[in-house]
């Protein structure tokens, strides 16, 4: 029996496993399909909420901590696994923002470098960007290639003697004993743990519903496309009117994303493709000359205001949750997993855990 049993091998489950194993704990992780293939794979990998000044403080706190942790984490994974998660801190350009004053005030309060820049500055940084009268520049932000991040995490976990991974292992329900949760029933038989941690992303609510716990997490579909361009066409993430382009080192340029309430449906459609293409070309007109190499959809774990649920499940000894990161699970992962691991190991939490607790937030 492991000390810790984690359900779900997305970025949240895998980073939780990594930190527990780093602390010398025995960890079992069970994943229904393959690790890192759901929202964690489908996301864009911007290491920031899209327009961070429009989010609650609870999200800014996690994000700020994570942004500081990513460079070291990416280097560590590259060194330990040989897989480069492509963390690139090239800064972020916000084109035509209509709440600039609010953004600048937020940046002052948060101690973030953010400044107003003109069209000449934008053209210097990104010669292919559409002409833009007003822009904001955040030099410290970056992006991560999330499928590679997942591969690197998986490779690292597979090599750690403290970690046991079970893929193709679907959790069907919880095993209880005298009011405590002590394990799970799965498609591969029972697994036990002193602490059971639900990191099931968009499926976390379905899992908890088997215990009649109403976690307000729902799937929110996001479609994205990727253009194949010569490497270096653009160098950094750019946002305009709520949509964005993200360059990868090999020349892929991702463009996203839609926000759709469609249940667990992950199909893509031509209308979304046309919309995403149009938005991307409004940011970088030269993209029109390049083919679209990929089009996909993923399911974000949506929560009411995007604040994840992190902590013990009230009334169920031994049961914990880390889910509901909505549009920001990649950026928030290092901090939110650290915060839960702090609580599990009785360490002083890196930030105040109160805003993320489940108490008073269940439906
Ligand atoms: C289009 C799009 C763009 C995005 N862009 C960004 C971005 O730029 N920046 C950012 O920070 N975030 C972004 N996100 C959000 C981010 O991807 C998610 O918030 C994050 O990946 C959630 O991670 P997770 O581990 O909670 O969920 P997931 O990655 O979905 O992992 C949950 C895992 O649990 C497993 N599971 C579920 N049920 C069971 C079961 N019964 N038994 C066993 N295993 C189970 C699933 O198979 C899955 O592997 C984006 C998301 C999308 C869809």
């Amino acid at each position: 029996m492991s000390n810790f049993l984690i359900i779900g091998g997305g970025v949240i489950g895998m980073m939780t496993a990594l930190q527990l194993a780093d602390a010398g704990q025995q960890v079992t992780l069970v994943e229904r399909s393959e690790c890192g293939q759901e929202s964690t794979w489908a996301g864009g990998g911007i290491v920031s909420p899209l327009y961070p000044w429009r989010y609650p403080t609870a999200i800014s706190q996690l994000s700020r901590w994570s942004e500081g942790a990513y460079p070291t984490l990416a280097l560590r994974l590259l060194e330990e696994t040989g897989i480069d998660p492509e963390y690139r801190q090239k800064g972020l350009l916000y084109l035509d923002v209509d709440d600039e004053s609010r953004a600048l005030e937020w940046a002052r309060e948060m101690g973030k470098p953010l400044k107003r820049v003109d069209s000449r500055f934008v053209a210097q940084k990104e010669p292919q960007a559409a002409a833009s009268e007003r822009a904001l520049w955040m030099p410290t932000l970056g992006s991560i290639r999330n499928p590679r991040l997942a591969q690197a995490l998986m490779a690292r976990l597979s090599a750690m003697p403290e970690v046991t991974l079970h893929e193709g292992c679907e959790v069907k329900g919880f095993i209880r004993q005298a009011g405590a949760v002590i394990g799970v029933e799965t498609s591969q038989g029972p697994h036990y743990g002193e602490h059971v941690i639900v990191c099931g992303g968009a499926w976390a609510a379905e899992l908890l519903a088997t215990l009649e716990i109403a976690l307000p997490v729902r799937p929110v579909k996001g479609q994205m496309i990727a253009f194949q361009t010569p490497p270096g066409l653009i160098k950094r993430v750019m946002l305009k009117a709520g949509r964005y382009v993200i360059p990868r080192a090999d020349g892929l340029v991702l463009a996203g994303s839609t926000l759709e309430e469609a249940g667990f449906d992950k199909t893509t459609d031509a209308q979304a493709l046309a919309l995403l293409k149009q938005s991307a070309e409004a940011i970088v007109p030269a993209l029109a000359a390049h083919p679209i190499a990929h089009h996909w959809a993923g399911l974000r774990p949506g929560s009411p205001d995007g604040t994840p649920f992190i902590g013990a499940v009230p009334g169920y000894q031994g049961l914990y949750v880390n889910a509901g990161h909505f549009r920001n699970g990649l950026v928030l992962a290092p901090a939110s997993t650290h915060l839960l691991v702090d609580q599990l190991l009785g360490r002083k939490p890196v930030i105040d855990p109160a805003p993320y607790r489940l108490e008073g937030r269940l439906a």
Side-chain angles (χ1 to χ4, degrees), residues 319-335:
L319 185 62
Y320 300 81
V321 170
N322 199 347
H325 300 73
F326 198 23
R327 304 192 80 173
N328 298 306
L330 293 158
V331 54
L332 303 185

Side-chain angles (χ1 to χ4, degrees), residues 86-103:
E86 289 184 22
Y87 175 74
R88 302 285 185 267
Q89 198 173 4
K90 298 269 186 189
L92 217 135
L93 277 168
Y94 298 92
L95 308 180
D96 299 335
V97 172
D98 54 18
D99 54 353
E100 271 185 15
S101 319
R102 191 171 150 206

Side-chain angles (χ1 to χ4, degrees), residues 129-146:
S132 176
E133 285 310 306
R134 293 168 304 129
L136 291 174
W137 167 238
M138 178 107 65
T140 51
L141 290 188
S143 61
I144 192 114
R145 189 165 187 159
N146 36 302

